[in-house]
Amino acid sequence: MKNKVWFVTGASKGLGLSLVKELLNKGYNVAATSRNLAELGNAVGNSSQSFLPLQMDLVDTASVAQGIQKTIDQFGRIDVIVNNAGYGLVGAIEELTDEETRLNFDVNVFGTLNVLRAALPYMRKQGSGHILNVASVGGLVGTFPGFGIYCATKFAMHGFSESLSAELKEFGIHVTVVSPGYLRTNFLGAGSLIVPKNEIQEYSSVRNAQNNHQHNINGAQPGDPDKAASVIIEVATQQQPPLHLYLGADAYGLVESKLKDVKEEMEKLKALATSINY
């Protein structure tokens, strides 16, 4: 495994930074991307035989293709891709503009798809590989006021990751969608959690959620990103890695509650809802 080449997006902070540091510490070859190369260098260190820092714009297909090609040029292959880059957006569905909404999808969803389209030809040729798409527990549970669009981007990641897994099985490529709960990173800080340009004050539940995340939850998240990185690396060593990886006791609690609620609702309406066949 130590000869494996990892490609990690969004590596200058948060989970991505923890993951890159742990990978390098364990002796892996790592290509890591950020929009700001200087920030990435300051956080991780200078380039070396085993570390390739890359400035990459996820929404620019040419930039993504260049980043993948540079990785192939230096290491000769890509074995593990971690699509970690993304940002949070808080705001009621009504108050977020089309521009704000589309930008969140551009980065969180289409940025990931850009990386996949650029890298998969190499992985298919290898006949092996592992793709880990970092979503969120908010990609399964969406009952959070003010996080509808962000959750929608993560629901999308869950959906295409499941299809991708089925599509790539014949090429020996595994797919895991990683869904953390709250990790103690700067994700809820200024610059990472975007707020609406035009707030509608009548949405008291959204304003309360926004304030709570910015001032109470931020800095008090229960999840340790370094431990999360270690779990991701361990899962990537498994012969048959899982399709779904939920990280954190809080994530497990939310998923278990969602599954219970769905089952109860289905049972309540089963006779009526299954009566539609010819």
Side-chain angles (χ1 to χ4, degrees):
M1 279 297 295
K2 294 302 172 66
N3 294 324
K4 299 287 186 182
V5 177
W6 287 63
F7 184 91
V8 182
T9 68
S12 62
K13 55 188 175 183
L15 177 60
L17 177 58
S18 291
L19 182 59
V20 168
K21 285 183 173 180
E22 183 66 12
L23 286 167
L24 291 172
N25 185 54
K26 289 180 177 293
Y28 289 95
N29 296 312
V30 182
T33 83
S34 173
R35 288 175 298 174
N36 188 320
L37 194 59
E39 184 179 341
L40 179 59
N42 290 336
V44 181
N46 296 322
S47 60
S48 65
Q49 188 174 355
S50 60
F51 176 54
L52 176 63
L54 296 165
Q55 183 171 0
M56 199 174 82
D57 182 353
L58 283 175
V59 301
D60 183 337
T61 56
S63 175
V64 173
Q66 186 179 57
I68 294 294
Q69 187 60 56
K70 285 182 177 179
T71 304
I72 296 295
D73 291 344
Q74 173 148 334
F75 298 117
R77 60 190 292 119
I78 299 175
D79 297 290
V80 184
I81 294 175
V82 182
N83 286 305
N84 168 72
Y87 70 91
L89 176 66
V90 60
I93 301 293
E94 180 186 352
E95 67 188 356
L96 290 171
T97 65
D98 183 75
E99 180 184 8
E100 289 169 307
T101 299
R102 286 179 184 274
L103 183 57
N104 203 211
F105 270 89
D106 280 344
V107 175
N108 292 5
V109 178
F110 292 103
T112 296
L113 294 174
N114 287 340
V115 171
L116 293 173
R117 280 189 289 262
L120 279 173
Y122 299 102
M123 299 183 95
R124 284 191 293 104
K125 187 176 180 180
Q126 290 169 192
S128 65
H130 191 177
I131 294 164
L132 296 108
N133 294 326
V134 180
S136 164
V137 69
L140 181 72
V141 183
T143 50
F144 308 107
F147 286 88
I149 297 303
Y150 173 75
C151 286
T153 68
K154 298 305 182 179
F155 266 72
M157 290 186 75
H158 274 248
F160 73 67
S161 294
E162 292 184 1
S163 291
L164 188 67
S165 174
E167 293 169 359
L168 296 182
K169 191 173 293 185
E170 65 181 292
F171 302 107
I173 302 170
H174 299 289
V175 176
T176 299
V177 54
V178 182
S179 301
Y182 287 111
L183 298 178
R184 196 169 299 180
T185 67
N186 57 359
F187 179 76
L188 297 178
S192 293
L193 182 66
I194 306 302
V195 299
K197 295 176 182 175
N198 302 298
E199 295 180 357
I200 301 175
Q201 293 305 319
E202 287 87 341
Y203 280 104
S204 57
S205 62
V206 174
R207 297 286 77 79
N208 289 338
Q210 178 180 330
N211 182 72
N212 191 36
H213 279 80
Q214 289 177 309
H215 303 294
N216 298 322
I217 298 175
N218 188 27
Q221 300 96 321
D224 183 336
D226 293 340
K227 291 180 179 179
S230 294
V231 171
I232 290 171
I233 294 170
E234 184 172 339
V235 166
T237 67
Q238 296 177 353
Q239 291 294 319
Q240 294 297 326
L243 174 55
H244 296 283
L245 173 61
Y246 292 96
L247 288 176
D250 56 343
Y252 262 71
L254 286 165
V255 172
E256 287 166 353
S257 179
K258 168 75 177 272
L259 295 177
K260 178 175 174 287
D261 289 345
V262 169
K263 186 175 181 180
E264 288 178 355
E265 286 184 342
M266 288 179 69
E267 287 302 319
K268 248 182 227 181
L269 293 172
K270 186 174 182 179
L272 176 63
T274 58
S275 66
I276 66 167
N277 289 358
Y278 285 106

